[in-house]
Amino acid sequence: MSEDQLSTSMKRPEEDLRPFQGVRRFGCTFSTKELERRGIEWQEAFEEMKALNFNAIRVAAYWSDIEAEHGRYDFDQLDELLDKCDETKLDVVLTVGMKGPRWPEFHIPTWAESDLDNEDIAADKKLCDRCLDYVEALIAHVASRSCIVAFQVENEPLDKAGEKRQIVGIDFVAEEANLVRKIDTNLRPIIISAWCWSFKHDFDVKDALRYGNILGLDVYSKVRGDDTTGVERAGKLPKHYKELANAKGREAWITELQAESWNPSTFDPDDMKSLLKKVSDADFTSVFLWGFEKWYDAKINKGDDDMWKAVKLATANFLNIPSSRRK
């Protein structure tokens, strides 16, 4: 399929995005894998998360969990999680593909792992074909879920990550997005995310905008000791990229907003408040915080609930929740 055909098949009329424009969504990425790594039951964490009053959540359909054995799909955990989202009336962004939130970045089943060391892992055609089979089965399984408001195809696909520092090339991301479009009869928007790091990533953002309805931006201000330039960057880049998206009739969401430290940099509630103000001032209306698993771990295992309390207040302010409901 040519680039023009792909682009046309994935563009929805601008009016189809109107229900998303101006709707305020505030939540977090919720990783069952990261909670498991920390020795925390995800069901318990989900119940506690309700106290934060989020109205949206981003979750991953980890390929390595769902198809641990070739051709055998286990959707039980994902179904349970989506049932809870339905019951809680949370808008869900579901991340699909081989790359998902949290380490090791690439969540590929052992039987499907690639031996190629290419920078673009999508150079492995067998891997891509297997991934498309999984995406097809997944979308067919969850298509009837009304809580899902958008599908995110891959997570930061054009950012080098994982043990081999690889990307998922835009041509394959476009193929995945096209497949989601064909199967999802509700034609929910496609999100493609990019690392909001420097103007050098403009090409990544422009590629994402070619094939997605919504540009997802991952915004971090204090990373690996790069604090001063990061704070400045976090104020300018999101606004710049939002303008690029809007000029093309697309939406821009903050799919990850830093709310945990990235060593050796520190990150505290005041840093989160400052960063959230920057994206709010730039008129972003959908924001997903990054760090839930760490705040919850700190709260229940270390007696430190400072970030937990700060997030609850941030939710109330962002969604304009009356003070009587903030307790």
Side-chain angles (χ1 to χ4, degrees):
M1 182 177 287
S2 71
E3 178 182 312
D4 288 342
Q5 287 175 306
L6 277 168
S7 184
T8 299
S9 70
M10 280 175 281
K11 280 183 182 174
R12 299 171 61 203
E14 287 185 22
E15 58 266 24
D16 284 346
L17 281 176
R18 286 178 186 168
F20 293 88
Q21 294 169 346
V23 176
R24 298 186 73 79
R25 291 184 178 85
F26 194 76
C28 69
T29 297
F30 184 92
S31 172
T32 54
K33 277 203 167 186
E34 177 63 12
L35 288 164
E36 180 181 341
R37 187 188 73 80
R38 291 173 178 268
I40 299 171
E41 292 287 337
W42 73 263
Q43 294 93 338
E44 166 200 311
F46 189 95
E47 289 303 310
E48 292 296 317
M49 184 184 67
K50 292 178 182 178
L52 297 175
N53 296 316
F54 294 148
N55 67 351
I57 189 174
R58 186 176 73 128
V59 301
Y62 292 116
W63 183 16
S64 54
D65 288 348
I66 289 173
E67 196 185 3
E69 183 179 341
H70 190 194
R72 295 176 65 89
Y73 299 102
D74 182 355
F75 296 109
D76 288 353
Q77 184 185 83
L78 181 62
D79 285 341
E80 184 180 357
L81 178 54
L82 292 176
D83 284 344
K84 290 181 181 295
C85 292
D86 263 325
E87 293 165 4
T88 315
K89 295 182 169 52
L90 287 171
D91 283 354
V92 175
V93 170
L94 184 65
T95 301
V96 306
M98 63 181 80
K99 202 171 177 217
R102 291 294 183 181
W103 189 259
E105 306 282 352
F106 286 91
H107 299 275
I108 300 171
T110 303
W111 59 265
E113 288 178 352
S114 175
D115 293 327
L116 293 183
D117 291 327
N118 301 53
E119 180 177 283
D120 181 0
I121 197 172
D124 187 329
K125 188 177 184 303
K126 181 182 286 188
L127 171 66
C128 291
D129 288 343
R130 288 169 165 175
C131 184
L132 289 174
D133 287 343
Y134 141 74
V135 171
E136 182 175 7
L138 170 67
I139 302 303
H141 182 79
V142 302
S144 63
R145 292 280 187 172
S146 59
C147 62
I148 299 173
V149 297
F151 292 105
Q152 180 181 336
V153 176
E154 301 292 350
N155 186 56
E156 298 173 352
L158 302 175
D159 181 56
K160 294 179 184 178
E163 293 179 354
K164 296 183 180 181
R165 303 294 294 164
Q166 291 173 302
I167 68 167
V168 182
I170 193 61
D171 290 341
F172 180 65
V173 175
E175 193 172 352
E176 289 179 284
N178 192 48
L179 179 60
V180 174
R181 282 263 179 268
K182 288 180 178 178
I183 300 171
D184 181 29
T185 57
N186 291 312
L187 290 176
R188 280 162 283 207
I190 296 289
I191 299 174
I192 299 178
S193 66
W195 180 236
C196 194
W197 184 254
S198 77
F199 286 100
K200 292 187 297 183
H201 286 73
D202 272 9
F203 290 108
D204 294 355
V205 168
K206 289 173 181 176
D207 276 342
L209 287 170
R210 282 161 59 199
Y211 299 117
N213 307 109
I214 297 171
L215 171 65
L217 294 173
D218 295 348
V219 182
Y220 291 74
S221 61
K222 300 176 71 176
V223 176
R224 294 174 180 164
D226 179 10
D227 296 355
T228 302
T229 59
V231 170
E232 181 182 3
R233 177 186 65 242
K236 293 179 179 178
L237 278 177
K239 182 179 180 180
H240 167 65
Y241 289 143
K242 185 176 188 295
E243 289 171 352
L244 286 182
N246 293 162
K248 291 182 174 292
R250 307 293 203 266
E251 283 279 279
W253 293 5
I254 305 297
T255 39
E256 291 180 17
L257 188 76
Q258 185 177 12
E260 72 171 28
S261 59
W262 192 332
N263 292 334
S265 295
T266 60
F267 198 90
D268 60 29
D270 286 339
D271 292 319
M272 183 198 65
K273 182 178 179 181
S274 175
L275 189 54
L276 183 56
K277 185 179 187 305
K278 291 179 188 297
V279 298
S280 296
D281 288 347
D283 292 328
F284 282 92
T285 55
S286 291
V287 176
F288 296 83
L289 299 178
W290 179 265
F292 168 81
E293 303 84 6
K294 188 169 185 175
W295 328 320
Y296 184 61
D297 192 358
K299 177 176 178 287
I300 64 171
N301 292 320
K302 300 174 184 177
D304 179 1
D305 63 355
D306 288 351
M307 187 63 84
W308 187 270
K309 290 178 178 177
V311 168
K312 187 171 184 178
L313 180 59
T315 308
N317 291 335
F318 194 88
L319 297 178
N320 297 314
I321 295 176
S323 58
S324 61
R325 288 182 53 203
R326 298 183 186 184
K327 299 178 180 178

